[in-house]
Amino acid sequence: MEHISGCLQLMALNLHGNYLGNEGLIAIAGSLPVTSTLQVMNLASNRIDSNLAVIRTFCECLVPNNTLVKVDLNFNHLNTDAIKELLPVIASKPNIIQFRIAPRIQKEIADELFTMLAERNKK
């Protein structure tokens, strides 16, 4: 992912529907700690699944990033356990005001994410 981290002015990355899978998610995630301008990342419909090792790696890469505002993981195969892994990281990143996921998760978890993001959008 040298190309993404080397794009100093990259503000939006739209890879919707590219079937990147888990390997692609990890490759892109590796650039997040060193990307200082990326605000929008659309990885919807990429056949990313709920492999918890992959999701944890993605979470670890999100932690040092303070520029992302919108993340779209909709139309992937993320289950409730995967979203539970993501929630604490999203909660720790007040800069993230939009995080889209498929609505196939437990209502309580979806409500928690929705409430958290709604509060941020009030400000």
Side-chain angles (χ1 to χ4, degrees):
M1 279 288 109
E2 293 174 285
H3 300 292
I4 291 175
S5 60
C7 296
L8 299 177
Q9 301 302 314
L10 183 66
M11 295 180 70
L13 180 64
N14 184 354
L15 294 172
H16 181 274
N18 278 281
Y19 306 108
L20 300 172
N22 292 340
E23 296 82 14
L25 177 63
I26 287 178
I28 290 165
S31 69
L32 292 178
V34 296
T35 303
S36 61
T37 58
L38 188 63
Q39 296 178 3
V40 178
M41 183 171 61
N42 183 348
L43 299 175
S45 194
N46 270 291
R47 294 188 180 165
I48 298 164
D49 67 32
S50 294
N51 179 311
L52 292 181
V54 170
I55 299 302
R56 287 180 186 127
T57 299
F58 180 64
C59 288
E60 290 169 12
C61 293
L62 272 177
V63 169
N65 181 285
N66 293 314
T67 60
L68 276 175
V69 177
K70 298 179 181 181
V71 178
D72 190 343
L73 290 174
N74 206 5
F75 302 113
N76 284 295
H77 306 285
L78 301 177
N79 63 20
T80 298
D81 290 336
I83 303 306
K84 283 181 182 178
E85 289 288 326
L86 287 164
L87 275 177
V89 176
I90 299 167
S92 74
K93 310 302 294 175
N95 48 296
I96 297 177
I97 59 170
Q98 185 179 77
F99 200 100
R100 294 187 66 208
I101 54 167
R104 294 182 293 241
I105 61 171
Q106 290 176 349
K107 183 179 180 334
E108 298 81 25
I109 301 300
D111 288 348
E112 184 178 345
L113 178 61
F114 177 80
T115 301
M116 177 191 330
L117 296 175
E119 286 296 317
R120 290 179 186 173
N121 284 298
K122 283 183 186 177
K123 298 176 183 176

